[in-house]
Amino acid sequence: MVRLYAVVAAGSFRRYATYRAATAAGVFTNTVFGFILAHTYTALWDERPGLGGYDLSQAVTYVWVCQALLMTCATMGGGFEDELVERIRTGDIAIDLHRPADPQLWWLARDLGRAAFHLLGRGAAPLLLGALAFDLALPASPLPWLAFAASVALGATVSFALRYLAALSAFWLMDGAGVLHFSWLAGMFFSGMLLPLTVFPGALGELARLLPWSSLLQIPVDVLLGKRTGWALVHAYAFQLGWAAVLLGAGRLLQSAATRRVVVQGG
Amino acid sequence: MAEEAIRTADPVRTGGLIELDGLERVFDVRRRTGPLRREKTRVRAVDGISFTVSRGEMVGYIGPNGAGKSTTVKMLTGILTPSGGRLRVAGIDPSRERTRLARRIGVVFGQRTTLWWDLPLIDSYRLMHRMYRIPDARYRQNLERCVELLDLGALLDVPVRQLSLGQRMRGDIAAALLHDPEVLYLDEPTIGLDVVSKAKVREFLRDLNAERATTVLLTTHDLTDIEHLCNRVMVIDHGRLVYDGTLTGLHAIAPGERILVVDLEHRLPPIEVAGARPVRVEGPRQWLAFPASASAAPIVAAIADGYPLVDLSVREPDIESVIARMYSERPAGPVRPRGSS
């Protein structure tokens, strides 16, 4: 069981690793955006020091860690979901259903393999470049990094669960692109990619911090910045685990509904 | 040995490995008939099919497009639930125990691939090794055999996306066989392949059936596949089984005609030879029809004798024409329009 999904994840990792030019182009994009956002944040935090509870150095760190995690947590897409939607549309999903494997675990393994590659391939370089150009508030001891890694893994799982739900809609809509775009848009805003969610006041801020997308970027970055330690860290993990369980459970229900009514496209 | 254990643990009580009894599948198709109005029509894609396939049989399952072939195969593998009737494959109800059944069957779709597109072929096989929990020794042995017989040695380290269609097809067939399936479903396994690749695939399947007694159900548009591989052929049309017997028997009730395509040096009036009739003339190229049961040799010899022959080829009767002929030979058979009930 475990071995199968380990092979799937490892294969997925290597699959992404074969596209070196794409990885280099992605690193370049992430770095450029990192610089643009870091300067925007600098201007903003100069005007409003301590905005959202971050000092300037923490705010700029927030930018660079977000850029490093952008692909890992597939905040704006780029994960397995395009392929799954396409397989449902063309009917290739029939092949997946002929396998003695659980589709949700299968795709989860693939997406986590991809996330692991993107963390190293797309995440490390921009963060390093950011650290060279800016004064980042990165922890010096290993413990916060370990806590961060666990939170990233949970965030990637929540992200998978959200996109799995969106992608399965293709069974009913035949074209899942619209739902996926909506899910990416929601991810872009509610993950905290544009601005930290702690910046937003009132009910919108409360809501944004309670929605599952905050598991993708806001929580892992806060863990790394040492904003969540002790019981607050346990609370953060519980929040991420809770959403992962709820969303994966919903995915299972939707999956069994989908495969029961499956009308596989094409002969 | 693992195979033996499975068989004793789950004995097939009745004779057939695949058993269908009055199998039905109805689809509701909604069609827009006006700006707001929608009409619901019922389409009986599979309309009461019964047959039994015994272990070790190699059966052709043919019919025109939309006849219900793929729908039947989807029910046989458990990814589609029947609307009615009874269905057992190796004693298992496919839609109820899809995953358990999946370990005992192999599926190959000519037009789709199960292989990992971006990775070397061998990676897909390693995945199968884990997915089907194939014992290590067994896996190595089966892989070795497939690599040898399907000529895959040089391809194992090539990413699947770089394989030709024929190579990929052979790769897919190997992937479906590593776990020693008792039943192999092949959906158009030779579609789009060149003559050499087709011959290779057919030879392999014949050997597989002879050596391992793997039961094979083959859907195809290529009657030559059936001719080379299957003792038994089932014809399905409009969701019903309209013929079940030997290919010779099918030709007997629906005598097909083969077509001889002749290229001459220059334009001539229609060729006149005994045993064949001209059906079409287009410049220097002519088409002659002759009974499928007759030999082409004397006709070819006669043409070569009397005409300036450049090139020729023989076309086998296709499934559509065989089925059309079945109806014209037996006008009593009810031809029901789709979705009429």
Side-chain angles (χ1 to χ4, degrees):
Chain A
M1 252 294 264
V2 177
R3 267 175 110 175
L4 164 64
Y5 296 108
V7 172
V8 173
S12 183
F13 184 100
R14 272 184 299 125
R15 176 204 159 170
Y16 281 90
T18 53
Y19 295 104
R20 290 190 193 141
T23 305
V27 165
F28 178 76
T29 313
N30 283 140
T31 309
V32 170
F33 270 96
F35 273 101
I36 294 172
L37 279 173
H39 284 291
T40 314
Y41 274 37
T42 307
L44 193 59
W45 259 262
D46 274 344
E47 276 309 302
R48 300 278 303 274
L51 183 63
Y54 302 101
D55 62 29
L56 177 61
S57 164
Q58 286 175 328
V60 175
T61 310
Y62 185 96
V63 167
W64 286 103
V65 178
C66 277
Q67 285 304 314
L69 291 184
L70 194 61
M71 281 308 293
T72 304
C73 288
T75 316
M76 295 170 63
F80 76 101
E81 63 274 20
D82 297 313
E83 196 183 338
L84 176 54
V85 163
E86 185 62 12
R87 289 182 82 80
I88 295 170
R89 200 179 63 77
T90 58
D92 281 353
I93 191 76
I95 292 172
D96 305 345
L97 295 175
H98 279 125
R99 294 182 174 129
D102 178 74
Q104 192 186 35
L105 287 175
W106 172 272
W107 289 105
L108 174 63
R110 286 190 61 159
D111 205 48
L112 290 181
R114 176 204 59 78
F117 172 75
H118 278 153
L119 186 65
L120 299 174
R122 291 281 299 268
L127 191 60
L128 202 71
L129 290 168
L132 290 175
F134 293 86
D135 177 25
L136 299 189
L138 293 172
S141 64
L143 218 57
W145 286 100
L146 282 176
F148 169 69
S151 183
V152 169
L154 287 170
T157 309
V158 171
S159 168
F160 163 81
L162 281 165
R163 285 172 292 130
Y164 193 65
L165 283 171
L168 283 187
S169 71
F171 272 109
W172 287 270
L173 303 176
M174 284 311 133
D175 183 1
V179 179
L180 282 184
H181 282 131
F182 177 80
S183 124
W184 296 334
L185 203 68
M188 192 168 75
F189 182 79
F190 288 112
S191 64
M193 193 205 114
L194 294 177
L195 273 174
L197 299 176
T198 49
V199 167
F200 298 109
L204 178 69
E206 287 295 324
L207 179 71
R209 289 188 285 275
L210 285 175
L211 289 175
W213 287 281
S214 64
S215 304
L216 274 52
L217 296 178
Q218 179 74 49
I219 291 178
V221 181
D222 277 350
V223 169
L224 185 68
L225 288 174
K227 299 247 165 214
R228 288 178 178 260
T229 50
W231 279 111
L233 181 63
V234 174
H235 182 260
Y237 285 160
F239 178 86
Q240 289 182 303
L241 261 177
W243 270 121
V246 167
L247 293 167
L248 287 174
R252 290 213 80 78
L253 287 178
L254 201 63
Q255 167 179 303
S256 74
T259 48
R260 246 183 287 118
R261 80 173 291 284
V262 66
V263 179
V264 175
Q265 304 297 299
Chain B
M1 270 206 290
E3 213 174 28
E4 284 305 317
I6 289 168
R7 283 181 195 172
T8 33
D10 184 19
V12 182
R13 274 160 234 96
T14 42
L17 188 61
I18 304 174
E19 292 180 309
L20 279 71
D21 188 9
L23 191 72
E24 284 180 17
R25 175 69 208 203
V26 180
F27 289 110
D28 285 335
V29 179
R30 286 188 186 75
R31 215 181 32 197
R32 223 172 245 258
T33 50
L36 290 169
R37 287 179 46 156
R38 283 194 178 188
E39 202 174 87
K40 205 163 91 172
T41 32
R42 304 215 114 178
V43 175
R44 308 184 78 84
V46 171
D47 193 7
I49 289 184
S50 306
F51 63 74
T52 302
V53 176
S54 311
R55 194 178 291 280
E57 269 196 284
M58 223 168 169
V59 182
Y61 195 58
I62 63 177
N65 287 328
K69 300 186 298 282
S70 291
T71 307
T72 315
V73 171
K74 280 170 191 161
M75 287 192 279
L76 286 171
T77 56
I79 66 168
L80 197 61
T81 317
S83 314
R86 189 173 173 278
L87 172 61
R88 288 290 179 276
V89 178
I92 295 174
D93 181 349
S95 62
R96 274 174 190 277
E97 293 185 86
R98 175 175 63 78
T99 312
R100 190 158 82 95
L101 181 65
R103 297 188 183 284
R104 301 176 57 175
I105 61 174
V107 186
V108 177
F109 294 96
Q111 313 203 57
R112 310 181 192 280
T113 181
T114 187
L115 304 171
W116 206 317
W117 195 244
D118 302 282
L119 294 178
L121 192 53
I122 187 73
D123 285 328
S124 293
Y125 297 152
R126 287 192 185 118
L127 189 64
M128 298 296 160
H129 182 190
R130 295 294 164 226
M131 184 149 54
Y132 290 93
R133 295 179 205 147
I134 310 165
D136 293 354
R138 192 87 187 139
Y139 166 75
R140 272 196 302 277
Q141 196 184 332
N142 283 346
L143 182 64
E144 215 167 273
R145 185 169 171 278
C146 282
V147 164
E148 190 194 320
L149 294 178
L150 287 166
D151 209 1
L152 295 171
L155 306 177
L156 287 176
D157 294 319
V158 179
V160 172
R161 64 183 138 84
Q162 290 172 16
L163 298 180
S164 73
L165 183 62
Q167 293 170 334
R168 202 222 73 206
M169 196 61 235
R170 272 147 46 206
D172 257 310
I173 291 175
L177 292 171
L178 295 175
H179 62 290
D180 290 317
E182 291 161 67
V183 187
L184 182 64
Y185 300 106
L186 296 161
D187 189 16
E188 302 279 1
T190 60
I191 199 163
L193 300 192
D194 60 50
V195 182
V196 179
S197 301
K198 275 188 187 186
K200 256 187 199 169
V201 166
R202 284 177 192 144
E203 192 192 332
F204 176 80
L205 293 173
R206 216 174 18 237
D207 291 351
L208 175 82
N209 177 255
E211 283 172 27
R212 306 233 159 162
T214 306
T215 309
V216 178
L217 191 71
L218 171 77
T219 70
T220 183
H221 263 82
D222 190 342
L223 274 184
T224 328
D225 282 346
I226 308 273
E227 224 158 78
H228 282 87
L229 296 172
C230 305
N231 300 319
R232 177 179 170 195
V233 54
M234 294 189 279
V235 182
I236 176 175
D237 192 28
H238 295 107
R240 286 174 168 255
L241 197 60
V242 292
Y243 178 81
D244 185 352
T246 61
L247 187 62
T248 326
L250 181 63
H251 281 312
I253 60 161
E257 282 188 320
R258 290 196 282 173
I259 302 287
L260 197 61
V261 185
V262 181
D263 284 327
L264 301 175
E265 272 171 19
H266 44 83
R267 178 194 295 264
L268 278 174
I271 296 171
E272 284 172 34
V273 287
R277 60 186 177 87
V279 286
R280 199 168 144 203
V281 179
E282 222 172 72
R285 177 170 281 193
Q286 301 203 6
W287 283 259
L288 293 102
F290 64 101
S293 49
S295 163
I299 302 167
V300 172
I303 295 172
D305 256 1
Y307 294 86
L309 185 62
V310 178
D311 197 6
L312 60 80
S313 63
V314 179
R315 287 194 191 151
E316 297 298 321
D318 59 3
I319 282 162
E320 277 75 8
S321 71
V322 167
I323 288 165
R325 228 165 260 275
M326 268 179 79
Y327 286 118
S328 62
E329 297 291 314
R330 295 194 310 174
V335 182
R336 290 149 30 97
R338 286 183 74 80
S340 62
S341 47

